[in-house]
Amino acid sequence: MKKKTLLYLKMIAFVVILVILDQISKFVATANLMGKSKYIVIKGLLSFNYLEGGNKGAAWGIFSGKILMFVIITIIAIVIISIFMRNITGIMCNEGKSATLMVLQYTFGMLMAGAVGNLIDRVVNGSVVDFICFEFIDFPIFNVADCYVTVSCVLIVVMCLLKLKEEDFNKIFTIKKNY
């Protein structure tokens, strides 16, 4: 099997596993928390609190009820992320693997999994299932897919600023085919 094909298959498997974990967490939260009071995990710090049809928008409820807009934007984002991942795979196959590029590849995979996980909720339920609640700050309830998106975005910014070579940056973040 070609090296590129193997890398693509590994990334698809990674994304699928993360999406499955997200969906399982939402299923378990719905089955165990819906209609019940919050479950304290660590008093004053973390609880699980099912938010009944709560998130019909983006973070903090912005653009609430605009499901079709979110579906379209998410599909566009997934296509763009796929292009960046294809570009990283091309660099790794043609110029050799580097730890930075491999971490960046998996980080984009995590971003895609978060987008797909919340997209599934929006299409199937009309809203996103949220259940993780920080008790120590006034912060919106969120879910595992939101964690994927947040962590991956922070990592992408840090890696682009501190670890990525300029020529690799230019090859990755272009829409035209580099390889």
Side-chain angles (χ1 to χ4, degrees):
M1 191 178 306
K2 284 178 64 176
K3 190 176 182 181
K4 264 188 192 181
T5 305
L6 187 58
L7 283 173
Y8 287 137
L9 290 175
K10 283 182 182 179
M11 288 313 305
I12 290 168
F14 177 71
V15 171
V16 167
I17 288 168
L18 290 182
V19 170
I20 290 170
L21 291 173
D22 170 65
Q23 292 299 301
I24 289 171
S25 74
K26 292 171 181 172
F27 175 79
V28 170
T30 301
N32 293 294
L33 299 171
M34 185 190 303
K36 297 177 184 168
S37 59
K38 66 181 172 184
Y39 177 80
I40 305 294
V41 178
I42 302 171
K43 188 174 181 165
L45 186 63
L46 178 68
S47 68
F48 294 148
N49 188 10
Y50 180 80
L51 187 58
E52 180 101 25
N55 189 351
K56 295 183 190 243
W60 295 278
I62 60 173
F63 303 119
S64 186
K66 308 261 191 254
I67 303 284
L68 182 59
M69 179 185 77
F70 281 111
V71 169
I72 292 168
I73 289 171
T74 303
I75 291 170
I76 292 168
I78 290 168
V79 169
I80 292 169
I81 294 166
S82 297
I83 292 168
F84 295 159
M85 291 173 75
R86 179 208 60 206
N87 292 348
I88 294 169
T89 301
I91 296 168
M92 290 189 328
C93 288
N94 293 334
E95 299 174 16
K97 284 186 182 180
S98 79
T100 300
L101 289 176
M102 190 169 297
V103 170
L104 189 60
Q105 180 81 314
Y106 281 96
T107 303
F108 273 114
M110 187 180 351
L111 179 60
M112 182 180 291
V116 169
N118 282 338
L119 176 65
I120 290 169
D121 282 8
R122 285 192 174 96
V123 170
V124 172
N125 304 323
S127 65
V128 176
V129 174
D130 288 326
F131 61 94
I132 303 170
C133 182
F134 286 136
E135 298 283 323
F136 62 97
I137 57 174
D138 184 24
F139 194 79
I141 298 174
F142 57 98
N143 61 49
V144 173
D146 296 336
C147 295
Y148 295 161
V149 170
T150 303
V151 169
S152 62
C153 285
V154 169
L155 284 173
I156 289 167
V157 168
V158 168
M159 291 183 70
C160 287
L161 291 174
L162 302 178
K163 296 294 282 177
L164 204 58
K165 297 178 202 166
E166 186 175 349
E167 60 268 14
D168 287 340
F169 180 90
N170 292 333
K171 289 177 186 174
I172 293 167
F173 294 102
T174 185
I175 302 300
K176 65 180 183 165
K177 185 169 178 159
N178 290 313
Y179 293 97

